[in-house]
Amino acid sequence: MPFSFDVLRASRETKARIGVLHTAHGDFETPIFMPVGTQATVKTLDPRETMEVSDGLILGNTYHLWLQPGEAIVKAHGGIRGFMNWPGGLLTDSGGYQVFSLSKIRKIKEEGVEFRHHLSGEKLFMTPEDSIRVQNDLGADIIMSFDECPPFDATYDYMKKSVERTIRWAARGKAAHARQDEQALFGIVQGGPHRDLRESCAAELQKIGFPGYAIGGLAIGESKDEMYAVLAYMDDILPKDKPRYLMGVGSPDDLILGAMNGVDMFDCVLPTRIARHGTAMTSEGKVVIKNKEYETDMGPLDPDCDCHVCKTYTRSYLRHLFKADEILGLRLITYHNLAFLKKLMHAIRTAIKEDRLVAFKDAFFARYYH
Amino acid sequence: MPFSFDVLRASRETKARIGVLHTAHGDFETPIFMPVGTQATVKTLDPRETMEVSDGLILGNTYHLWLQPGEAIVKAHGGIRGFMNWPGGLLTDSGGYQVFSLSKIRKIKEEGVEFRHHLSGEKLFMTPEDSIRVQNDLGADIIMSFDECPPFDATYDYMKKSVERTIRWAARGKAAHARQDEQALFGIVQGGPHRDLRESCAAELQKIGFPGYAIGGLAIGESKDEMYAVLAYMDDILPKDKPRYLMGVGSPDDLILGAMNGVDMFDCVLPTRIARHGTAMTSEGKVVIKNKEYETDMGPLDPDCDCHVCKTYTRSYLRHLFKADEILGLRLITYHNLAFLKKLMHAIRTAIKEDRLVAFKDAFFARYYH
């Protein structure tokens, strides 16, 4: 098994820690942000650019690739890495979240989930075994258990039954995992806002045994207070020596506060999605590049950034590209936003190492959120 | 004046020639194909990529940049080159063609053309002096006279009056040209299918005197036979020692046959436009990448091509990108198509030098057009 995780240093002032994920396709220092390459491409970028603006570990979506082009075609290329020509590390989700979030018509059974294709309406069925089999074919270094992700405000009774099923599904997934020597399968802790359910879920998953644990069911529409109320105790519930992955989180505040709560891994479409709508993350907060104020602005997108986009283009040119509906605009803001988060994660890691993460957080928040 | 043109070699078997355009931003061997960067970007590509897949000389569109973001903003960046960060050579058209092709409501007067904005409907007016002033601000190495481009099948009487006006406009443009020492202003020969009008236009333009001449009013919807009937005598009409630029031509057959008729410069949106619709130019003809037959095709887009896309990706992956509506697909086919034309132009120049252009043409046509 080429996968392992080491905690190199624990923060003295917060629950944050510095770790390293060892994989067959690179070692990755944590806390790490993973850009999302849903359909075997980080939207608008090619792999050379993605490598420049990431720490070398990205995410692919099982649901999308299962439906298009299908896992057999991806497998024939040697997995997603060969398909998209990605030389770095890779994680796939289980498809579970998309089954629940994209498909409006679905029926959850013990066996799996029956649902309609989110575009064609075709009737489909996915089991935990299907998800693992597809992820075996997609060939990521880290793969995820098939779970149910109920709404944060589901009833306690529903959540309890759902968590119990998610645990059974996790065990079935592990049993079905055909590439245990090559791919690290993570468990996912559900339980919504209920500490007892989160605790029992984490405990049961540890009995099954996984090399890493995700915190699921957050960043799905609940308030920030509700999310942090859960994150506040997850460090106590999860084993110290395994990586923790907070799924779907990618705003600067959540990355910093997530790291302070002991999270090691993050992913989110936010930086790439808002980029395609012309919103940049900068050291002084968000910049909506289409705004009239940037029409004649000869400065860089972010004066504190040394990425290729900020070293090369003016805000005036970037605004022009968006006003003129030019695809290059989507590319350049996407590139910058990921470079911004890469730099932010590096700064978070440095602050943990130097035991000044709280001061870093205060300074960052004061500048980014004014 | 940093611009000059040398004919290095004349073909022994056709009217083709090898030349070199000397500009302040590079020397460019001819015959050359110039990719079109309408709005200060070759669509989907960044300047690094554009440099890789061109011979270093590209085109910008005056009409579009005049309207968005306006020439003052481009000028503040040091012209289009600074605005888009393009280190190579640049040519701008006059805007005349767009005034006539994009705007449905227009009124041609001796002074200039009154027309409606093709999107907003705003009433606008452009004179030959305006066109040159805007092109002075856009700062290209080669700029074009403001001409009228009538339909190929306009009446002889209309065409005659139009050509006479185009000549007067060319003289006014030259008189208005404020950067004669930095930008080479070309004349444009109109006259539709009428040899006498083409001859008188070329003769009058030469009396005014320009460092290069474009062949206008072709590739605007007339048949190939009609176009080649005109091209057949243009070599006799135009001076040997000045570059000839066939505007709007970019299909492989027309590039080869154009070169054989003594043309030195070409531009066209064809390779980039069809790329965005998923059509690739390959050594064996067009490939419509969305077709089912490529779903599991593990081969490169063009087995004879050594561009980055063909060395890196399979047809199966490229098809997936288009099926999944991923912007990277538009980028990769655009990149390949321009690389294909770059290689084609290099092959044409080599064949001219080795006096085997006719044999090259026959072999290329047999393979590309089956």
Side-chain angles (χ1 to χ4, degrees):
Chain A
M1 173 70 154
F3 181 86
S4 63
F5 178 68
D6 293 317
V7 176
L8 301 182
R9 180 192 180 95
S11 167
R12 288 185 201 154
E13 46 169 11
T14 70
K15 300 171 201 162
R17 63 253 199 97
I18 296 292
V20 59
L21 296 162
H22 302 281
T23 80
H25 302 106
D27 295 336
F28 307 103
E29 202 175 45
T30 62
I32 190 171
F33 175 77
M34 303 177 288
V36 178
T38 295
Q39 303 186 114
T41 163
V42 173
K43 287 193 191 302
T44 80
L45 301 186
D46 77 5
R48 297 185 287 193
E49 293 162 331
T50 300
M51 190 55 81
E52 288 169 12
V53 295
S54 72
D55 283 317
L57 180 59
I58 64 170
L59 185 141
N61 285 116
T62 293
Y63 174 88
H64 291 84
L65 293 169
W66 175 53
L67 296 176
Q68 165 60 43
E71 69 278 12
I73 286 173
V74 179
K75 185 185 183 182
H77 288 77
I80 293 173
R81 296 175 69 261
F83 192 48
M84 69 179 283
N85 194 45
W86 172 246
L90 188 70
L91 180 151
T92 48
D93 66 0
S94 68
Y97 182 72
Q98 278 73 29
V99 165
F100 293 103
S101 65
L102 291 179
S103 179
K104 294 210 171 62
I105 305 157
R106 56 187 146 69
K107 200 184 281 183
I108 302 165
K109 305 177 178 182
E110 182 62 25
E111 175 62 11
V113 186
E114 182 183 297
F115 62 101
R116 299 277 182 177
H117 189 296
H118 68 288
L119 297 177
S120 73
E122 185 192 352
K123 194 183 274 192
L124 298 162
F125 197 81
M126 183 174 258
T127 68
E129 289 81 3
D130 290 333
S131 169
I132 300 300
R133 179 182 52 72
V134 173
Q135 291 187 82
N136 286 161
D137 287 349
L138 298 179
D141 302 292
I142 301 169
I143 67 177
M144 302 303 296
S145 294
F146 187 73
D147 62 333
E148 185 190 351
C149 182
F152 195 79
D153 60 357
T155 65
Y156 181 86
D157 282 352
Y158 184 88
M159 196 69 86
K160 187 166 188 296
K161 279 181 192 151
S162 169
V163 164
E164 288 163 0
R165 186 168 44 219
T166 279
I167 294 164
R168 291 192 295 274
W169 284 0
R172 283 169 54 191
K174 184 174 174 183
H177 186 11
R179 300 178 68 183
Q180 306 238 11
D181 292 345
E182 298 158 275
Q183 299 178 292
L185 171 63
F186 280 24
I188 302 179
V189 178
Q190 290 286 354
H194 309 293
R195 179 166 181 156
D196 62 326
L197 297 182
R198 294 272 179 190
E199 282 181 352
S200 63
C201 188
E204 292 302 316
L205 290 174
Q206 285 175 74
K207 284 185 202 161
I208 303 168
F210 293 95
Y213 296 90
I215 304 164
L218 295 182
I220 58 169
E222 80 284 5
S223 72
K224 294 249 178 188
D225 284 348
E226 289 171 316
M227 179 170 89
Y228 287 112
V230 174
L231 279 184
Y233 56 73
M234 287 309 294
D235 179 63
D236 298 330
I237 291 177
L238 293 169
K240 297 273 186 221
D241 62 344
K242 296 285 189 289
R244 297 92 172 254
Y245 164 27
L246 179 55
M247 306 175 82
V249 157
S251 64
D253 56 337
D254 289 341
L255 293 170
I256 297 170
L257 295 171
M260 290 175 71
N261 279 291
V263 173
D264 306 300
M265 302 162 67
F266 304 88
D267 84 284
C268 194
V269 297
L270 181 80
T272 46
R273 179 171 290 164
I274 66 174
R276 298 196 302 282
H277 292 100
T279 298
M281 296 172 168
T282 81
S283 52
E284 294 176 335
K286 285 186 186 170
V287 165
V288 178
I289 199 65
K290 265 195 180 180
N291 285 351
K292 181 81 175 169
E293 64 186 293
Y294 304 120
E295 188 175 24
T296 59
D297 189 332
M298 302 293 286
L301 189 50
D302 182 349
D304 276 10
C305 181
D306 62 355
C307 84
H308 173 69
V309 172
C310 289
K311 284 191 297 189
T312 307
Y313 303 102
T314 65
R315 286 177 168 178
S316 174
Y317 179 65
L318 295 171
R319 177 180 190 270
H320 162 69
L321 292 178
F322 273 86
K323 293 293 284 185
D325 286 326
E326 285 288 353
I327 281 172
L328 182 60
L330 315 184
R331 281 180 61 177
L332 296 181
I333 308 277
T334 297
Y335 185 97
H336 164 78
N337 279 359
L338 290 179
F340 179 81
L341 289 191
K342 176 180 180 172
K343 204 174 59 165
L344 173 61
M345 297 313 295
H346 185 266
I348 289 171
R349 292 193 298 268
T350 302
I352 296 171
K353 291 173 191 170
E354 297 174 356
D355 281 314
R356 51 172 183 78
L357 184 56
V358 175
F360 172 80
K361 181 207 77 170
D362 291 343
F364 183 91
F365 274 49
R367 195 162 176 216
Y368 192 91
Y369 297 103
H370 306 303
Chain B
M1 173 69 155
F3 180 87
S4 63
F5 178 70
D6 292 317
V7 176
L8 302 182
R9 181 190 179 96
S11 166
R12 288 184 201 153
E13 46 170 10
T14 69
K15 299 171 200 162
R17 65 250 200 99
I18 296 292
V20 58
L21 296 161
H22 302 282
T23 80
H25 302 106
D27 294 337
F28 307 102
E29 202 175 44
T30 62
I32 190 169
F33 175 77
M34 304 178 287
V36 179
T38 295
Q39 302 185 117
T41 163
V42 173
K43 286 192 192 303
T44 82
L45 301 185
D46 77 4
R48 297 185 287 194
E49 293 162 329
T50 300
M51 191 54 82
E52 287 169 13
V53 295
S54 72
D55 283 317
L57 180 59
I58 65 171
L59 185 141
N61 283 119
T62 294
Y63 174 88
H64 291 84
L65 293 169
W66 174 54
L67 296 176
Q68 165 59 42
E71 70 277 14
I73 287 173
V74 178
K75 184 183 184 183
H77 287 78
I80 293 172
R81 296 177 70 262
F83 191 48
M84 68 180 283
N85 195 45
W86 174 246
L90 188 71
L91 180 152
T92 47
D93 66 0
S94 69
Y97 181 72
Q98 279 73 28
V99 166
F100 293 103
S101 65
L102 292 179
S103 179
K104 295 211 170 62
I105 305 155
R106 55 187 147 68
K107 200 184 280 183
I108 302 164
K109 305 176 177 182
E110 182 61 26
E111 176 62 13
V113 186
E114 183 182 295
F115 62 101
R116 298 276 182 177
H117 188 295
H118 67 290
L119 298 177
S120 73
E122 184 193 352
K123 193 183 274 193
L124 299 163
F125 197 82
M126 183 174 259
T127 68
E129 290 81 5
D130 291 332
S131 169
I132 300 300
R133 178 182 52 74
V134 173
Q135 291 187 82
N136 286 161
D137 287 348
L138 298 179
D141 302 292
I142 301 170
I143 67 177
M144 301 302 297
S145 292
F146 187 73
D147 63 333
E148 184 190 352
C149 181
F152 196 78
D153 60 358
T155 65
Y156 181 87
D157 282 353
Y158 184 88
M159 196 69 86
K160 187 166 189 294
K161 279 181 190 149
S162 168
V163 164
E164 288 162 1
R165 186 168 46 219
T166 278
I167 295 163
R168 292 192 294 274
W169 283 0
R172 282 169 53 191
K174 184 174 176 182
H177 186 11
R179 298 179 69 183
Q180 307 238 11
D181 292 345
E182 298 158 276
Q183 299 177 294
L185 171 63
F186 280 24
I188 302 178
V189 178
Q190 291 285 355
H194 310 293
R195 179 165 182 156
D196 62 325
L197 297 182
R198 293 272 180 189
E199 283 181 350
S200 63
C201 187
E204 292 302 316
L205 290 175
Q206 285 177 75
K207 283 186 202 162
I208 302 168
F210 293 95
Y213 296 90
I215 304 165
L218 295 183
I220 57 169
E222 79 285 5
S223 71
K224 294 250 180 188
D225 284 349
E226 288 172 317
M227 180 170 89
Y228 287 112
V230 174
L231 279 184
Y233 56 72
M234 288 309 295
D235 179 63
D236 297 331
I237 290 177
L238 293 168
K240 298 274 185 221
D241 62 344
K242 295 285 189 289
R244 296 91 171 256
Y245 164 26
L246 179 54
M247 306 176 83
V249 157
S251 63
D253 56 337
D254 289 341
L255 293 171
I256 298 170
L257 295 171
M260 290 175 71
N261 279 291
V263 173
D264 306 301
M265 304 162 65
F266 304 88
D267 83 286
C268 194
V269 296
L270 182 80
T272 45
R273 180 172 290 165
I274 66 174
R276 296 195 305 281
H277 293 99
T279 298
M281 296 172 168
T282 81
S283 51
E284 294 176 336
K286 285 185 186 170
V287 165
V288 179
I289 199 67
K290 265 196 182 179
N291 286 351
K292 181 80 176 168
E293 65 186 293
Y294 304 120
E295 188 176 23
T296 59
D297 189 332
M298 303 292 286
L301 190 51
D302 183 348
D304 276 10
C305 182
D306 62 355
C307 85
H308 173 68
V309 172
C310 289
K311 284 191 297 188
T312 307
Y313 303 101
T314 65
R315 286 176 168 179
S316 175
Y317 179 65
L318 295 171
R319 178 180 190 269
H320 161 70
L321 292 178
F322 273 85
K323 293 293 284 184
D325 286 327
E326 285 288 353
I327 281 172
L328 182 59
L330 315 184
R331 281 180 61 177
L332 296 181
I333 308 277
T334 298
Y335 185 97
H336 164 79
N337 279 0
L338 290 179
F340 179 82
L341 288 191
K342 176 180 180 171
K343 204 174 60 164
L344 173 62
M345 297 313 295
H346 184 265
I348 289 172
R349 292 194 296 268
T350 303
I352 296 171
K353 291 173 190 170
E354 297 173 356
D355 281 315
R356 52 173 182 78
L357 184 57
V358 175
F360 172 80
K361 180 206 78 171
D362 291 343
F364 182 91
F365 274 49
R367 195 161 175 216
Y368 193 91
Y369 297 101
H370 305 303

